[in-house]
Amino acid sequence: MKVMDWTIQVIGPIEVEAVRSYINVGMEAARSAVRSGQETTPLPEETLDACTEIDDQAYEPGTSHVLSALLACADAPGGLTGEVPYDVLSYCYEGVLEREDLPLVSPEEEHRNARCIEAIDFQQRCIAQAQPA
């Protein structure tokens, strides 16, 4: 949740109301799931069904990746396996990367971009905090 919240804040305002609203509803469902100790985010069937339509409207850089991160939390029939957080972190990083609109996407360009470095650092801190002592 920390990484998804941070990513949404960093990519900035989402202009398309339908996309912004969908993400807000999904994030509130995810927060509620965390508060109640659930491993996945249960989303109503109609919310899941609307995702394709919403994704078609997610033309702003980074927003489609945020939608994918939300769905990764909702579509985890095996629970919170290692793959789910990996996917969420990847989608969040890709959202930040896309929002940065680098002229050429390469490891070298990403390492020169302050926001990409900040995203990696933040995710690494979150992973370290989540590690059992």
Side-chain angles (χ1 to χ4, degrees):
M1 282 309 307
K2 284 181 187 179
V3 171
M4 289 183 4
D5 281 329
W6 184 89
T7 301
I8 291 167
Q9 182 180 15
V10 164
I11 67 171
I14 297 171
E15 307 264 335
V16 178
E17 165 60 29
V19 176
R20 183 176 60 247
S21 177
Y22 190 93
I23 289 172
N24 288 339
V25 166
M27 289 299 290
E28 188 48 46
R31 285 184 198 96
S32 178
V34 168
R35 283 191 299 269
S36 65
Q38 296 176 347
E39 286 191 354
T40 62
T41 302
L43 292 176
E45 199 64 38
E46 60 272 5
T47 302
L48 291 171
D49 291 344
C51 188
T52 301
E53 179 184 328
I54 296 298
D55 194 41
D56 289 344
Q57 299 175 56
Y59 61 83
E60 293 174 79
T63 55
S64 186
H65 295 292
V66 172
L67 290 171
S68 294
L70 279 171
L71 287 180
C73 295
D75 186 25
L80 195 58
T81 63
E83 186 177 333
V84 175
Y86 174 84
D87 288 345
V88 170
L89 295 177
S90 295
Y91 288 131
C92 287
Y93 179 76
E94 290 296 322
V96 170
L97 176 62
E98 189 173 280
R99 196 69 154 201
E100 285 300 291
D101 195 28
L102 299 178
L104 173 68
V105 177
S106 69
E108 295 79 24
E109 287 298 315
E110 291 174 48
H111 287 111
R112 284 193 280 270
N113 182 279
R115 184 66 77 188
C116 290
I117 292 170
E118 184 181 11
I120 292 167
D121 289 345
F122 183 77
Q123 288 189 7
Q124 286 177 332
R125 284 193 310 274
C126 289
I127 290 167
Q129 291 170 357
Q131 298 282 330

